[in-house]
Amino acid sequence: MGDFYRGGRRTYGSAVFIISIVLLIGWLRSSVVVDQFELESRFSGPQQEIYYIRSNDSAIRFICHYGCGRAIREEKLIVVHYAVITLPLAALAACLIFWTSRKNAAG
């Protein structure tokens, strides 16, 4: 199969490039609009736990709200900036798309 189809690297590079473009759009959007997605709600008695993914201020935040009544607390579990994800993916896509493969010296 490898002898017949040699464009696998460029196909993977194009897929990684599309993913990096989607993340770039999310990065630009996060400076204007706050997006929040609820991951999971779990209610165990009076204790309440809700998990969110929030995109704002050029970062993705994984947040947990927990507590009961008026004593609900917010804890940021993970904060990942878009640049940490988007820039290496774009560089990887460029390497996969533009660099040529080495030819075997043996033939």
Side-chain angles (χ1 to χ4, degrees):
M1 180 79 182
D3 294 335
F4 178 71
Y5 179 66
R6 296 179 186 211
R9 232 186 47 233
R10 291 206 171 107
T11 303
Y12 298 142
S14 299
V16 170
F17 181 69
I18 290 170
I19 292 169
S20 68
I21 290 295
V22 168
L23 287 171
L24 176 66
I25 291 169
W27 184 2
L28 295 174
R29 181 181 164 91
S30 72
S31 62
V32 179
V33 178
V34 176
D35 291 322
Q36 182 168 311
F37 303 100
E38 186 174 327
L39 285 178
E40 176 184 347
S41 282
R42 186 174 58 201
F43 300 97
S44 56
Q47 184 77 14
Q48 177 183 2
E49 292 182 4
I50 302 172
Y51 299 95
Y52 294 102
I53 295 178
R54 186 179 297 160
S55 173
N56 64 335
D57 297 331
S58 298
I60 300 171
R61 291 171 172 79
F62 298 94
I63 300 170
C64 175
H65 285 186
Y66 61 93
C68 60
R70 293 186 181 189
I72 294 180
R73 298 180 191 146
E74 177 177 299
E75 180 179 338
K76 293 178 184 165
L77 301 175
I78 300 172
V79 177
V80 179
H81 292 276
Y82 276 104
V84 173
I85 301 169
T86 305
L87 297 177
L89 278 179
L92 177 65
C95 290
L96 288 172
I97 292 171
F98 294 119
W99 282 4
T100 60
S101 63
R102 296 180 186 179
K103 301 292 180 189
N104 289 339

